[in-house]
Amino acid sequence: MESRTVAGLEVNNVSLKSILNNRMMYVVYVLLAFALFGVIEVFYERYFMLSANALDAGLAPGSREVAEAMREAIFGSGGEVKREAPWSLYIVNYMYMIYVGSGIILLVALAELVDIKLIKKTAAGFLTLGLAMIIAGLFTIMMDLNILHVHWMFLSPRYTSGMWLMLPLYLVYIPLVIFEIYLLLSHHEHWAKKVALPILILSLLIEFVEFYVQAKLFDMNTARHLWTTYPLLPLYFMVSSFVASAGVMVLYTYLIYRNTDRSECEDLMHLIQKITLYSVIALGAYEATAYLFIDKKWAEIILFGDFKFYFYAYLILAVALPFALLFKDYTSNFVKVIAGISVIVGTYLGRMIFVYGGNAYPMSDRFGVGFEKYSEYEPVKDVIFFMPPLGEIAIVIGSLGIIIGIYRIVDAYLSVSLMREH
């Protein structure tokens, strides 16, 4: 393919029309249509939904329906985060996309430091995929935080807020990852070698800080002991992200290299198989001990109560099945792909359990008068579950289109999927 050099990068001479007019991009358009529908649905609920007012109350005094409608108008509507319906699918998808993308980038950075050549050859593609997942996660959380009001995070910063701490981190982190990709693709080999080590060390430092800040974000929510009693929460986020990242890397390697670089694809699949297996063992060991430290009431509900089906499905898909499939070195690529898909589904389910589990036995006995209620008119419940609204589900589905679309466009111009010596 013909190309031209721009700032040291070989940019393919392809037309935008040819990039946008192909079968994979048609899939992207369908997924982005889901995202657009979700955004419209959420914005309608926030700004255009009719709600009860004083006239309604005057026409129907004492009506419970009007009281509930007025309460909804004051304290939130639809998919908004509020005391009665706290963090749900937005946070699940944000955590998953951010952690998996960051995990891929962290694994690539570690491979660069210890000179694992197969990972180094494919680093540009993996970093692009990881960055695309991070952007998809940020898209999800921006819908949750209300994108129209994000500017207030700059105008009125709250330095003790966990979400605000993530803002400057990503403002540094994302350009740093882009710069890493540039170094891998450019022809400034001498300059690249000089700055590669400090860039990688800085990248690793930011990765660790990111996991720490995310853990603090959950740890500050003192009302939900599932989160605050999880031992070594940054370690849990890191280990589980390695498992999910390895699963994504297995699937990516198979889809991208199975027909183009077969011998190296086999070696790369074998390498990622080992990474996945060790990560799965570490996650299994963590989960086996973590519930000894978690608040007893929460542990009983998740292990033996309403969450037990989802929890054991998570353990089977994310730990037991991948371990059984990947334990033998001679397993075929098809089996490895099945294990990768199992890991992806299982770890996503694990994120849901972690987030929704915070709603089990929902509020702690912070004031010494018994566990708090969600509503003054309801008894204390063991499990509070709110089905995510349609708009929220559509936005999560649409985030997949952001990942695929970003990767396809970058790859079309820069060929990040090629194996490169550096």
Side-chain angles (χ1 to χ4, degrees), residues 101-123:
S102 298
I104 292 172
I105 294 168
L106 181 55
L107 287 172
V108 171
L110 288 171
E112 290 277 350
L113 283 178
V114 299
D115 198 29
I116 300 177
K117 296 190 182 300
L118 276 173
I119 298 293
K120 291 175 70 173
K121 287 182 179 181
T122 55

Side-chain angles (χ1 to χ4, degrees), residues 52 62-70:
S63 168
R64 184 177 179 84
E65 288 76 14
V66 171
E68 285 294 327
M70 293 186 71

Side-chain angles (χ1 to χ4, degrees), residues 39-307:
V39 171
I40 293 173
E41 183 78 6
V42 168
F43 274 53
Y44 170 75
E45 289 182 350
R46 287 176 179 169
Y47 304 112
F48 302 105
M49 181 177 288
L50 295 176
S51 56
N53 52 37
L55 176 61
D56 296 314
L59 294 176
S63 168
R64 184 177 179 84
E65 288 76 14
V66 171
E68 285 294 327
M70 293 186 71
R71 180 174 176 276
E72 187 74 5
I74 296 170
F75 294 106
S77 62
E80 303 303 317
V81 173
K82 48 187 178 292
R83 188 172 186 271
E84 293 78 7
W87 296 347
S88 59
L89 202 57
Y90 279 134
I91 302 298
V92 172
N93 199 62
Y94 162 69
M95 288 176 65
Y96 192 83
M97 295 298 181
I98 289 288
Y99 292 165
V100 174
S102 298
I104 292 172
I105 294 168
L106 181 55
L107 287 172
V108 171
L110 288 171
E112 290 277 350
L113 283 178
V114 299
D115 198 29
I116 300 177
K117 296 190 182 300
L118 276 173
I119 298 293
K120 291 175 70 173
K121 287 182 179 181
T122 55
F126 281 131
L127 289 176
T128 302
L129 176 63
L131 184 60
M133 294 192 75
I134 289 172
I135 293 172
L138 292 177
F139 163 74
T140 307
I141 201 65
M142 286 175 74
M143 291 299 103
D144 183 30
L145 296 176
N146 193 348
I147 190 173
L148 297 182
H149 296 159
V150 167
H151 63 284
W152 286 108
M153 296 185 74
F154 297 92
L155 299 178
S156 181
R158 299 181 180 182
Y159 302 106
T160 58
S161 165
M163 290 308 298
W164 192 91
L165 289 174
M166 298 305 296
L167 181 65
L169 182 62
Y170 287 125
L171 289 177
V172 174
Y173 179 63
I174 291 176
L176 182 63
V177 175
I178 293 173
F179 188 49
E180 285 189 54
I181 295 172
Y182 171 77
L183 290 179
L184 292 171
L185 298 178
S186 68
H187 294 285
H188 302 100
E189 286 87 356
H190 179 69
W191 181 60
K193 287 180 181 179
K194 282 188 173 181
V195 301
L197 183 60
I199 287 291
L200 288 172
I201 293 174
L202 183 59
S203 175
L204 290 172
L205 177 63
I206 291 178
E207 291 276 7
F208 288 118
V209 171
E210 178 190 12
F211 286 116
Y212 173 77
V213 172
Q214 285 284 352
K216 289 298 294 181
L217 180 61
F218 281 88
D219 194 53
M220 287 189 292
N221 201 322
T222 55
R224 292 179 167 81
H225 282 186
L226 175 66
W227 300 338
T228 58
T229 59
Y230 240 73
L232 300 173
L233 200 52
L235 178 63
Y236 166 71
F237 287 160
M238 190 175 297
V239 171
S240 59
S241 74
F242 281 173
V243 176
S245 300
V248 172
M249 291 170 77
V250 166
L251 187 60
Y252 170 86
T253 300
Y254 180 76
L255 293 176
I256 299 298
Y257 301 116
R258 69 184 188 279
N259 295 322
T260 55
D261 301 276
R262 291 189 178 184
S263 62
E264 292 193 304
C265 176
E266 292 287 340
D267 294 337
L268 186 56
M269 289 286 280
H270 181 71
L271 174 62
I272 300 176
Q273 172 190 350
K274 289 183 178 180
I275 295 173
T276 309
L277 181 61
Y278 296 148
S279 301
V280 163
I281 292 172
L283 179 61
Y286 182 92
E287 293 289 11
T289 56
Y291 280 82
L292 299 175
F293 299 90
I294 292 172
D295 184 287
K296 183 179 178 181
K297 183 65 179 180
W298 259 267
E300 287 177 354
I301 292 172
I302 292 176
L303 296 177
F304 310 110
D306 290 0
F307 280 83

